[in-house]
Amino acid sequence: APHAIYRVPLSKIARETAGTLLARNMVAVGALCGLADIPEESHLESIRRLFEHKGEAIISANFKAFETGRDYVRRHITRRDRIRLIRPAVKQAPRVVMTGNDSIAYGAMLAGCRFFAGYPITPSSEIMEWLSVYMPKFGGEMIQTEDEIAALSMVIGASLAGKKAMTATSGPGLSLMCELLGLASIAEIPCVVVDVQRVGPSTGIPTKSEQSDLMQAVFGGHGDSPRVVMAPADVSDCLDVMREAFFEIGR
């Protein structure tokens, strides 16, 4: 059972302050700040940066939604829990906050990958987007192809030419790559394929992740086509697994 429930009319406040239900999340953030006495300066600065391209009116509306949510809990809510925000007395070292996809892309760059070819497909697209920004800065190439077949074809060609190369896809895209995985296997051309799994069968539910492609990853193809299949356990492990995939661990 929940430790405590606090009811806040997010939709009502959003409509009254910003004129749109889209502001409910800002009301909720303000309510949390008011409820837990969280410093609000950084939140307000983040709101300004997030909406500065939309103009001052939008920024002001979101500020108002935030402040009204904060003031609502201060006036109408009596806390029943003992949860408190603990502020560290000693300033901690800066930390990097990233998703698994970010960690995969970062790990690939650290391992020396300098060529990526791919086709956007949820939920793997962030890998391609991340590399499109950072790979060219380190002398690499990121190419968006017309489909997954072309993507793995380019990766195989780049690897044959001596580059550390990779692609990223999801279950439906991995299905399209099966013949080329066999080609890479029989020709003994190393390449890295990241499968960010999503719910199937077929196109399935693109926005919901799932562990569903193990059999396809291990056995998908025609005839004997051995490959190494690696499964990271968490976000941090994504980085280490990518380095290991490119044979960087221990060098």
Side-chain angles (χ1 to χ4, degrees):
H3 184 67
I5 296 176
Y6 302 104
R7 303 188 185 280
V8 180
L10 303 180
S11 297
K12 181 175 182 293
I13 295 174
R15 287 196 192 96
E16 292 176 352
T17 57
T20 173
L21 291 176
L22 296 175
R24 283 179 297 188
N25 56 345
M26 294 303 168
V27 179
V29 173
L32 287 172
C33 286
L35 192 64
D37 295 322
I38 300 173
E40 59 191 58
E41 292 77 11
S42 59
H43 292 87
L44 294 173
E45 180 59 31
S46 295
I47 292 172
R48 175 168 292 280
R49 290 200 305 268
L50 182 63
F51 295 108
E52 61 184 355
H53 67 287
K54 294 189 175 182
E56 197 62 35
I58 299 297
I59 294 173
S60 297
N62 281 277
F63 278 173
K64 190 173 182 181
F66 174 94
E67 293 163 356
T68 305
R70 175 202 62 198
D71 295 340
Y72 180 90
V73 299
R74 288 178 176 174
R75 294 194 189 102
H76 302 287
I77 299 294
T78 300
R79 289 192 61 175
R80 298 186 299 277
D81 64 82
R82 297 181 180 178
I83 299 173
R84 292 292 183 270
L85 176 67
I86 299 176
R87 299 176 179 86
V90 179
K91 187 176 181 180
Q92 296 182 349
R95 297 185 178 185
V96 175
V97 178
M98 61 175 61
T99 66
N101 281 348
D102 295 335
S103 185
I104 285 170
Y106 188 40
M109 291 291 296
L110 287 177
C113 177
R114 291 300 179 264
F115 182 85
F116 178 96
Y119 184 76
I121 181 170
T122 306
S124 76
S125 297
E126 290 102 343
I127 297 173
M128 185 176 74
E129 292 165 1
W130 196 99
L131 291 173
S132 72
V133 174
Y134 292 103
M135 187 166 277
K137 295 181 180 181
F138 292 88
E141 296 287 341
M142 196 296 297
I143 298 178
Q144 179 177 327
T145 60
E146 63 269 30
D147 55 41
E148 290 86 354
I149 299 173
L152 188 50
S153 296
M154 289 186 179
V155 168
I156 292 172
S159 181
L160 190 61
K163 292 287 186 180
K164 290 187 177 182
M166 68 171 288
T167 187
T169 188
S170 185
L174 186 64
S175 298
L176 294 175
M177 294 178 180
C178 280
E179 183 178 0
L180 286 162
L181 288 172
L183 171 63
S185 175
I186 197 171
E188 299 183 353
I189 302 171
C191 53
V192 174
V193 178
V194 176
D195 175 26
V196 186
Q197 301 170 76
R198 74 188 199 191
V199 172
S202 188
T203 54
I205 306 174
T207 55
K208 184 175 177 60
S209 59
E210 180 181 68
Q211 297 183 36
S212 57
D213 299 339
L214 178 61
M215 300 299 284
Q216 180 174 233
V218 175
F219 300 111
H222 308 283
D224 293 331
S225 52
R227 74 285 303 267
V228 177
V229 177
M230 309 170 72
D234 52 35
V235 172
S236 177
D237 198 32
C238 286
L239 186 145
D240 293 331
V241 164
M242 286 305 294
R243 294 184 64 189
E244 190 171 357
F246 283 103
F247 307 104
E248 281 295 313
I249 296 296
R251 287 193 176 186

